[in-house]
Amino acid sequence: MKVWDWYPVFLREMLLFKRRLFKLGYLLSAMMIPIIYLVVFGLGLGRNVQFSSQDYLSFLIPGLVAMSSMTNSYNWIANSVNLGRLYFKTFQVLLQAPISLVHLILGEVFSGMVKGLFAALLIILAGLLTAPNFFITLPLVIALILNCFLFASLGFTVGMLSKGHEETATYFNFFILPMAFFCGTFFPIEKIPTFLKPVVYLLPLTHTNILIRKEFFDLEALIAILVLLIYSVFCFLWGITLIKNYSE
Amino acid sequence: MKNFYMIEVKNLVKTYGGKRVVDGISFWVKKGEVFGLIGPNGAGKTTIIKILTTLVKPDEGEVFINGSNLFKEPQEIKKIIGVVPQENNLDRDLTVYENLLIYGMLHKVRDLKRKIEEVLNLVELWDRRNSLTSTLSGGMQRRLVIARAFLPDPPILFLDEPTVGLDPQIRKFIWELIRRSKAKGKTIILTTHYIEEAENLCERVGIIHKGKLMAIGTPLELKEGLGRFVVEHINGDGKLIQWIFKTEEEAYKLVQEKRIPVSIRRVNLEDVFINLTGKRIE
């Protein structure tokens, strides 16, 4: 049953998730930022904004889904691995278990994906209730799954790299947060100044935002999938390398 | 020769920031033996345990556990070791039962529910199985960490300061668990800075100081190498003065000659440590 070796790692995170989920502050803090953006930009300012093809709220919701799934997949795993490794020493229990390192990472990444998907689901529900032209499409589902896998893998890598909890927050502030604002969450990428576009197109969330708003798979969507896959494989392999060379 | 010892450590070196915290350590442990590493905090005991339990990669040296090379076949070794680390690294937001459930699944323990009940009864925590781990006292958490290490019934146990900071009653309880494990044929390496613990539990001990193995042998061998009786006197400046003798007669002879207030006791491992290093253990 080696193929299921990741399951105890995943189950552990899920049991912890379940317990924390019922603590009011935990759920609220995870959802607070996307809800604020939804209310302020979508329902507030967005009422007076109209794009050529659709209303602003229907544009914003997929972006918030991408952003929310990114931050939740990333944050929960980065913090869990970092705190478990450096403060609670619970990560060492996983390291000393007779399971392959790939399964250890898979268990963590899958749990990060569940957390990202859970947060995204809440935004999707809000979108279905409030945005007239927001629909769940196959590109949205694929973008969401790839995005969660990618950022959970990145979260694992950062959790392994960080020498303290503050460093994890620094990675968030310098990498994740700018992506949330410049990669097409709140306004179309075409509106970004030309000199910034090459940088923006290098960042993975841009491609999630491109894919998540597609109704069908055109060349741009396929390129976005490819970019997200490359980033995902890179982050996952980086995580494997870090854990393989782990030494306290 | 490779399989003769359960644990064989050869010339282990680990350096942090240019400082050798483990400095050319070599020792072996036979199957079914309780081997103690004694020394003060910062001597390098925990680093040695972390190397042997796959958490730290040494700069130099070789380790064979049950015939497997630790650095080439770590997965094989992880299957046969149980670890009690210095800190109670439990998931505080999981229940007692859930902590063991996850650990048992990670270690592929068969008949897991029955085994969990068995180890929780052993450490007298079955009644608290549904309690959140964060609600347990320090002593209870320590017993749970020990139960967790016992769960897969591993043939080798690494116990890093298993009783540090615990009250005497729980310490004796844990000693009894260690003795029972020894009786079942387990090979045990334990680190401690409690002399009494080492003398009570270990068949052989290694004395560690500043990363070096200063001496190794049975507690009796180490003590008799120094002498048998210690005569102690506190002088007018409050300084402790000691004389060590091979026989009781020699000790009493000194007492009669000196005609000063003294106490006489048997040599213990702390005396051996002080003699080797010039410092006390604690």
Side-chain angles (χ1 to χ4, degrees), chain B:
Chain B
M1 194 66 182
K2 192 182 168 189
N3 292 317
F4 184 75
Y5 302 119
M6 197 60 155
I7 298 166
E8 197 176 3
V9 176
K10 292 177 183 172
N11 193 32
L12 217 52
V13 174
K14 181 67 188 174
T15 308
Y16 288 113
K19 190 185 171 196
R20 283 192 164 211
V21 294
V22 177
D23 193 358
I25 298 273
S26 299
F27 64 88
W28 46 262
V29 184
K30 281 191 284 188
K31 187 175 185 293
E33 188 178 24
V34 181
F35 179 75
L37 289 170
I38 64 172
N41 292 328
K45 307 183 300 290
T46 295
T47 307
I48 293 169
I49 294 291
K50 284 186 173 179
I51 291 171
L52 300 185
T53 58
T54 74
L55 291 180
V56 169
K57 287 185 169 59
D59 302 322
E60 291 173 37
E62 279 188 308
V63 176
F64 293 95
I65 296 182
N66 198 29
S68 300
N69 186 319
L70 178 69
F71 311 120
K72 290 179 182 161
E73 307 156 275
Q75 295 297 331
E76 289 307 307
I77 288 163
K78 287 174 185 177
K79 287 177 192 167
I80 56 167
I81 63 170
V83 185
V84 174
Q86 208 170 109
E87 60 284 314
N88 295 331
N89 60 346
L90 298 157
D91 279 309
R92 294 168 58 81
D93 286 340
L94 297 186
T95 64
V96 167
Y97 191 91
E98 286 167 344
N99 264 287
L100 294 183
L101 179 75
I102 298 297
Y103 191 84
M105 289 170 76
L106 283 166
H107 288 257
K108 302 179 182 71
V109 175
R110 290 168 194 269
D111 199 5
L112 183 54
K113 285 183 181 174
R114 186 188 60 78
K115 285 286 290 179
I116 290 175
E117 186 175 345
E118 192 180 304
V119 293
L120 281 181
N121 278 321
L122 182 72
V123 298
E124 298 176 5
L125 283 176
W126 177 247
D127 293 342
R128 299 296 303 268
R129 63 189 176 280
N130 294 321
S131 303
L132 279 182
T133 308
S134 56
T135 64
L136 301 184
S137 68
M140 284 176 177
Q141 288 190 17
R142 201 68 187 143
R143 274 148 56 195
L144 180 57
V145 173
I146 289 171
R148 189 179 67 181
F150 284 5
L151 185 63
D153 201 17
I156 303 170
L157 288 165
F158 292 95
L159 314 177
D160 191 7
E161 303 272 9
T163 63
V164 72
L166 299 178
D167 63 52
Q169 197 187 349
I170 295 175
R171 184 176 296 175
K172 293 268 162 61
F173 181 86
I174 290 172
W175 286 5
E176 190 50 39
L177 291 177
I178 295 169
R179 283 196 194 99
R180 278 194 233 169
S181 299
K182 152 81 183 148
K184 284 168 76 180
K186 308 270 185 211
T187 305
I188 300 171
I189 291 192
L190 76 87
T191 73
T192 185
H193 59 264
Y194 296 131
I195 292 303
E196 193 192 359
E197 188 160 285
E199 295 205 36
N200 266 292
L201 297 172
C202 301
E203 288 159 282
R204 287 189 311 128
V205 295
I207 294 177
I208 307 272
H209 182 58
K210 291 183 177 172
K212 286 186 189 292
L213 189 60
M214 308 295 287
I216 193 165
T218 67
L220 192 63
E221 279 170 0
L222 292 174
K223 287 186 287 187
E224 296 216 328
L226 186 64
R228 281 192 172 173
F229 295 92
V230 182
V231 178
E232 291 178 326
H233 165 69
I234 297 172
N235 71 11
D237 301 331
K239 193 180 171 190
L240 180 70
I241 297 167
Q242 291 180 320
W243 297 270
I244 297 172
F245 299 98
K246 294 279 180 196
T247 64
E248 203 169 2
E249 289 74 31
E250 286 175 305
Y252 277 112
K253 196 177 163 193
L254 178 95
V255 172
Q256 284 170 345
E257 281 173 8
K258 293 278 182 185
R259 293 179 178 274
I260 50 175
V262 293
S263 61
I264 303 177
R265 61 169 176 80
R266 287 185 176 276
V267 166
N268 62 33
L269 281 176
E270 174 123 36
D271 300 316
V272 178
F273 186 85
I274 292 167
N275 188 257
L276 288 168
T277 67
K279 289 180 177 174
R280 302 190 79 83
I281 277 191
E282 286 162 303

